[in-house]
Amino acid sequence: AITHRFINDELDRLLREYAMNGGTLVGIDAVELISGGIAKRCAKVYGVLAPREKRLERIMAREGISRDYAQLRLAAQKPDDYYRENCDAILFNNGELNEFAALCRAAFEEEIE
């Protein structure tokens, strides 16, 4: 609640600057997009889900943390159903990075059409 106002102000500034330079489509990657109120400003909200085991592996590799600590981090996250209920579409990140990148590009291209 303390930071959301400042984040929204900065987002407004960035979007205005982007639009003034001819930009028409923006992707916003934000952890609290829904609860922070930014989702209301979006034409479409995508959730990204991955199998629990993949998430654990990725967190441990990225953060250099133990499996037990990674499990605690996952337990603190909202459940998958939260994203299914609050997002317009779900992208599944259960493969390699290049596969997920192609999936994201396809979703954005669909929005442009």
Side-chain angles (χ1 to χ4, degrees):
I2 293 170
T3 61
H4 290 324
R5 180 174 63 98
F6 299 104
I7 292 168
N8 274 298
D9 289 348
E10 179 65 5
L11 180 60
D12 286 342
R13 185 190 71 72
L14 291 168
L15 291 174
R16 194 171 28 260
E17 180 181 310
Y18 183 67
M20 290 175 69
N21 288 304
T24 58
L25 180 67
V26 174
I28 301 170
D29 180 6
V31 173
E32 295 294 331
L33 183 83
I34 298 163
S35 62
I38 296 171
K40 292 181 233 167
R41 301 169 62 184
C42 299
K44 193 162 191 177
V45 175
Y46 292 89
V48 177
L49 298 179
R52 182 175 176 75
E53 190 58 37
K54 271 269 196 229
R55 288 188 233 178
L56 281 171
E57 292 169 8
R58 289 173 179 162
I59 291 171
M60 290 185 304
R62 183 182 65 236
E63 306 291 329
I65 59 177
S66 70
R67 184 174 191 80
D68 289 340
Y69 188 55
Q71 287 175 325
L72 290 172
R73 298 260 308 261
L74 280 184
Q77 294 178 353
K78 291 179 176 36
D80 290 358
D81 284 344
Y82 173 84
Y83 298 99
R84 288 187 181 100
E85 293 166 10
N86 290 286
C87 296
D88 299 305
I90 300 293
L91 300 176
F92 293 97
N93 185 4
N94 52 6
E96 296 300 318
L97 180 59
N98 62 340
E99 293 169 0
F100 184 64
L103 186 63
C104 292
R105 270 193 295 285
F108 272 92
E109 288 171 4
E110 183 180 306
E111 288 304 310
I112 294 170
E113 294 174 349

